[in-house]
Amino acid sequence: MIEITKHLLPLPDETLIEKEEYMWKIKLPSDYRNFLMKSNGGTPNKQEFKYNNHVYMVNSFLCILQDSENSEYGFYDIDVVLTQIEDRLTSNEDLIGCELLPIAELFAGDYLCLDYSNNKDNPTICIWNHEESGELEPVTYFVANSFSEFISLLY
C-alpha cells in the first residue's frame, strides 16, 4: 500500500463506513475500505500517474468524516464533494445512490472516482473530467480495474 504523508483524523470505523455505504447505496471494495480505515485520505508520497500519454497528479485522497462541518479538512470529505458536483456525476436524474464516487482530488479540478456504472459489485477507477462534464453528462476516462491496481500506477 502507498504511504500517506498527511492522515485525516479521526479515522473512520466500520460503523461510519457502513452508514456512508447505506447512504450512497453501494458497497466499497475491500482494498479501498482498508485504505480509508488506515489513512482516511490524505496526501500520498507518490502522487503522479500516467493515463493516455498525460501525467496526472493526486492532490489528496478524500476522506470520510463524522463531522465535516467542524473539521478544518471538511472540504476533503466525500459527502461534501458529492454535494458540490453530484449533478455532474450521473446521467440519470432519478438515480438513487452513486454511480461515480469521488475518492481523490486531482490537480486542476478533476476527480478520481470509483465507477459503479458497469458493475455494482466491482467498481473500476476512472478520472472524472470537470471541464468536459455537464449537468447529467459526466465525462470519465477508465484508469484501472481496482483501487489496488490504481495505487500500483502511482510514482
Side-chain angles (χ1 to χ4, degrees):
M1 197 48 80
I2 193 158
E3 283 184 50
I4 298 296
T5 57
K6 185 178 180 184
H7 299 278
L8 299 178
L9 300 174
L11 297 176
D13 59 15
E14 284 288 335
T15 304
L16 181 56
I17 290 175
E18 287 171 4
K19 177 183 150 205
E20 294 294 340
E21 288 176 323
Y22 178 79
M23 245 179 25
W24 300 329
K25 307 290 186 240
I26 58 170
K27 187 79 172 156
L28 295 175
S30 60
D31 54 356
Y32 180 63
R33 176 188 275 265
N34 291 337
F35 170 78
L36 283 172
M37 292 180 71
K38 290 179 182 170
S39 300
N40 198 25
T43 306
N45 63 338
K46 297 177 182 179
Q47 294 181 279
E48 296 180 351
F49 67 98
K50 285 185 183 177
Y51 168 76
N52 201 22
N53 295 320
H54 182 78
V55 176
Y56 288 87
M57 187 175 96
V58 176
N59 283 343
S60 181
F61 283 101
L62 301 180
C63 61
I64 295 177
L65 297 172
Q66 182 74 41
D67 183 11
S68 61
E69 289 181 19
N70 294 312
S71 171
E72 66 179 297
Y73 299 109
F75 52 91
Y76 287 117
D77 182 79
I78 292 172
D79 283 333
V80 171
V81 172
L82 270 174
T83 300
Q84 294 169 349
I85 62 174
E86 66 187 334
D87 63 342
R88 298 176 68 205
L89 292 176
T90 184
S91 57
N92 178 357
E93 66 183 326
D94 297 322
L95 178 73
I96 296 174
C98 294
E99 276 185 333
L100 296 174
L101 183 72
I103 61 170
E105 177 188 56
L106 303 179
F107 178 76
D110 295 335
Y111 283 92
L112 193 71
C113 296
L114 290 172
D115 185 351
Y116 289 87
S117 60
N118 293 322
N119 189 327
K120 292 290 181 194
D121 296 321
N122 294 306
T124 58
I125 303 296
C126 71
I127 296 168
W128 171 78
N129 184 295
H130 82 285
E131 290 178 352
E132 295 178 26
S133 295
E135 189 172 327
L136 301 177
E137 295 179 356
V139 174
T140 62
Y141 306 108
F142 171 84
V143 175
N145 287 306
S146 67
F147 182 71
S148 294
E149 183 180 309
F150 170 74
I151 292 300
S152 72
L153 300 175
L154 292 173
Y155 64 92

